[in-house]
Amino acid sequence: MHLILASQSPRRQELIQLTGYSVEVQVADVDERSVTHPDPAMNVVETAVLKAITIAQRHTVPQQTLIVAADTIVALNRQMLGKPIDAREAVEMLAALRNRQHEVHTGMVVLDLRSGKMLKRVNTAVVTMRHYSDAEIDAYVASGDPLDKAGAYGIQHPTFQPVAVLSGCYTAVMGLSICELVRTLDDLGLPRRADLTAIRTAHYLASQDYPCPIFNQLLDKSPESC
């Protein structure tokens, strides 16, 4: 069994390695804006399904392979904030999010190429941004980092560090809940190959710790706890 990640995101590519399975990256060239579901949590799931099916159609011979696809969106008062189209929109998004609470929805799909079975998951984190200044916004946008990220920010950025409070899975806000993925692989009956220590470390940013409730469930089901 090996995994195909349907994403060009370097964050997702880094996180999926923590499963312990061999991973192949294939970019799903889809129009994400074609998914128009008004519910942010459903929107990200439908987008992830679109990516997974696009990759699956390239494989005519069933293989012992799982396709993993994900999508992330920021919702501020149910207004969906995707990737900014330019620096100006990135500034507008960051200004709107400043010192306010919002939700980050990350949809994930795991598709078994051989059986056709598809598991759909959505992880929602509640995020409160700190009161960063206009000058900090301008400097961060000038770095180019926000332009490929939903809501125009990366929680993991070592300098900007925009988040004051997080309730949920830190890696989900990055773009792929590695905890949710490992739990899904467990549900599929695959052997646990993930290094839980490495996954725990992935929830740290500098000296800041972001406890994850899903991670605690993984500990409860680990072979060492049985």
Side-chain angles (χ1 to χ4, degrees):
M1 178 66 70
H2 78 284
L3 310 180
I4 295 177
L5 175 64
S7 177
Q8 62 183 348
S9 164
R11 281 92 52 196
R12 292 183 181 128
Q13 292 176 24
E14 178 183 352
L15 288 168
I16 199 171
Q17 299 296 332
L18 298 177
T19 62
Y21 282 88
S22 64
V23 179
E24 175 187 354
V25 175
Q26 295 188 18
V27 178
D29 188 14
V30 301
D31 180 8
E32 297 181 11
R33 295 177 184 269
S34 67
V35 180
T36 58
H37 199 292
D39 184 332
M42 292 299 297
N43 188 287
V44 288
V45 172
E46 289 189 2
T47 303
V49 169
L50 177 61
K51 294 177 181 179
I53 291 176
T54 298
I55 296 298
Q57 290 173 342
R58 301 175 185 171
H59 298 266
T60 56
V61 179
Q63 304 176 41
Q64 194 173 3
T65 299
L66 297 178
I67 297 174
V68 179
D71 188 63
T72 302
I73 204 160
V74 167
L76 178 64
N77 294 331
R78 295 191 66 82
Q79 177 187 359
M80 290 185 280
L81 305 180
K83 299 173 184 176
I85 59 174
D86 54 26
R88 179 179 178 178
E89 188 173 45
V91 170
E92 292 174 352
M93 287 183 181
L94 290 168
L97 292 169
R98 176 169 46 197
N99 203 33
R100 297 177 68 184
Q101 188 179 90
H102 64 271
E103 295 178 332
V104 179
H105 303 281
T106 298
M108 183 184 70
V109 166
V110 178
L111 173 60
D112 187 329
L113 272 179
R114 178 167 291 180
S115 69
K117 182 177 182 180
M118 178 184 290
L119 297 182
K120 303 175 185 178
R121 301 284 187 267
V122 62
N123 185 282
T124 298
V126 179
V127 178
T128 302
M129 303 292 255
R130 66 181 180 85
H131 201 295
Y132 39 74
S133 67
D134 288 345
E136 286 181 291
I137 291 177
D138 291 340
Y140 179 52
V141 172
S143 75
D145 188 72
L147 297 181
D148 69 337
K149 296 175 175 63
Y153 75 90
I155 187 174
Q156 73 277 13
H157 194 271
T159 304
F160 187 46
Q161 296 190 24
V163 174
V165 181
L166 167 67
S167 176
C169 183
Y170 171 77
T171 62
V173 180
M174 286 181 65
L176 176 67
S177 174
I178 186 62
C179 302
E180 191 73 66
L181 178 54
V182 171
R183 182 165 66 175
T184 301
L185 298 179
D186 287 347
D187 292 343
L188 288 170
L190 272 66
R192 173 79 68 82
R193 294 184 180 176
D195 182 345
L196 294 187
T197 300
I199 290 177
R200 183 70 186 86
T201 302
H203 288 78
Y204 283 86
L205 173 63
S207 60
Q208 193 162 2
D209 178 22
Y210 293 102
C212 175
I214 306 176
F215 179 80
N216 293 332
Q217 296 175 22
L218 297 181
L219 285 177
D220 292 340
K221 292 185 178 180
S222 66
E224 292 80 6
S225 66
C226 298

